[in-house]
Amino acid sequence: LLKPPPGQSEAWAGIDLGEAVERATGLKVSRFNDGHAACWAERVAHPAPRPLGFAFLLLDTFVGGGIVAENRLWEGQNGRTANLGSMLVTDRNNHTRFVHEIASLFALGKRLAEAGLSLGDVRGSTIGAPAAAVLDAWIEDASDALAQTLINTTRVMEFETCIIESELPAAVTARIVESTRARIARFPTLGHIAAPPVIAGHIGRSGAAQGAALLRMHRRFFSRDFAHMEI
């Protein structure tokens, strides 16, 4: 979805970033999916009693995702499990789109740019009227897409809760969570399946970085998975 300048794709295609950093620093490098890392950080930061299972969405440049089930982070064979931002949803104009295209900061940034504004205009403690109008409209569309994502995810697996975190200020994240709850309440349910509870995350924008460090320590010192025993 991000179109690079001419030649950039070719330049990056031949680079293994992990190996390059190892050569430059002399330190061993671990690579983690940002959504998975932020999900793990949220698990660690969640006040007791921690849920044994939850679905996690991270609104960053794109929409990262993570799933904790039976107290384990689901990463998948290639580290791409729970790629919830790539889920297909129906926008409010009845078009089929990826969640990334609606609920990401990339999507919000495009709307702001069309109004002559930038993401910096919605990151501060005070948001001016022009930026607030764009933000309000984006939250309505984003929360509708997020509600569909969480409803569909919780129909595949059972979770105690759903958690939304974002790179935006906590007050804006709280609005997104509240709007998503309201959208979920408007969707029909089948049988006696309750709507999933939705809460805001506990860490904020540093979740992916914290989670990467925490996952490294967990794998080295605490994990019982055979694949992690020689890390």
Side-chain angles (χ1 to χ4, degrees):
L1 294 174
L2 285 174
K3 296 181 180 179
Q8 284 296 302
S9 294
E10 295 78 7
W12 281 97
I15 296 177
D16 184 312
L17 188 58
E19 290 182 0
V21 174
E22 283 191 1
R23 288 195 302 270
T25 63
L27 302 172
K28 189 170 183 178
V29 171
S30 299
R31 286 182 286 187
F32 298 103
N33 175 287
D34 60 341
H36 293 171
C39 180
W40 187 255
E42 176 60 34
R43 177 194 173 275
V44 174
H46 197 289
R50 293 173 180 155
L52 295 178
F54 63 89
F56 176 82
L57 290 170
L58 173 66
L59 311 189
D60 202 332
T61 303
F62 295 107
V63 180
I67 286 176
V68 168
E70 298 176 351
N71 218 26
R72 293 169 59 90
L73 178 68
W74 281 36
E75 296 182 86
Q77 184 175 355
N78 298 306
R80 300 189 183 98
T81 293
N83 186 9
L84 302 181
S86 293
M87 188 177 287
L88 289 168
V89 297
T90 302
D91 68 16
R92 297 205 295 166
N93 293 316
N94 292 321
H95 297 142
T96 301
R97 300 174 68 190
F98 294 111
V99 180
H100 293 306
E101 297 179 276
I102 304 171
S104 66
L105 300 197
F106 171 70
L108 174 58
K110 286 179 65 176
R111 292 190 180 204
L112 289 165
E114 290 169 1
L117 303 164
S118 71
L119 284 171
D121 293 300
V122 297
R123 289 189 185 275
S125 56
T126 302
I127 300 175
V134 175
L135 180 63
D136 291 347
W138 173 76
I139 289 176
E140 284 294 308
D141 290 341
S143 61
D144 187 77
L146 297 174
Q148 293 179 66
T149 303
L150 293 176
I151 285 176
N152 290 331
T153 301
T154 56
R155 295 307 177 260
V156 176
M157 299 179 67
E158 289 186 273
F159 300 104
E160 295 173 54
T161 190
C162 299
I163 301 174
I164 296 175
E165 188 60 274
S166 85
E167 290 280 310
L168 295 168
V172 177
T173 302
R175 288 183 56 197
I176 296 168
V177 169
E178 185 58 37
S179 184
T180 301
R181 286 191 195 124
R183 294 302 302 173
I184 288 176
R186 295 176 198 169
F187 284 119
T189 58
L190 188 62
H192 299 287
I193 301 175
V198 183
I199 63 172
H202 297 84
I203 297 180
R205 63 185 306 174
S206 66
Q210 289 189 45
L214 290 165
L215 271 172
R216 173 72 181 172
M217 289 189 287
H218 172 76
R219 288 182 173 184
R220 184 167 185 180
F221 299 111
F222 303 105
S223 175
R224 296 181 180 180
D225 289 353
F226 182 77
H228 299 159
M229 289 183 180
E230 296 184 359
I231 290 179

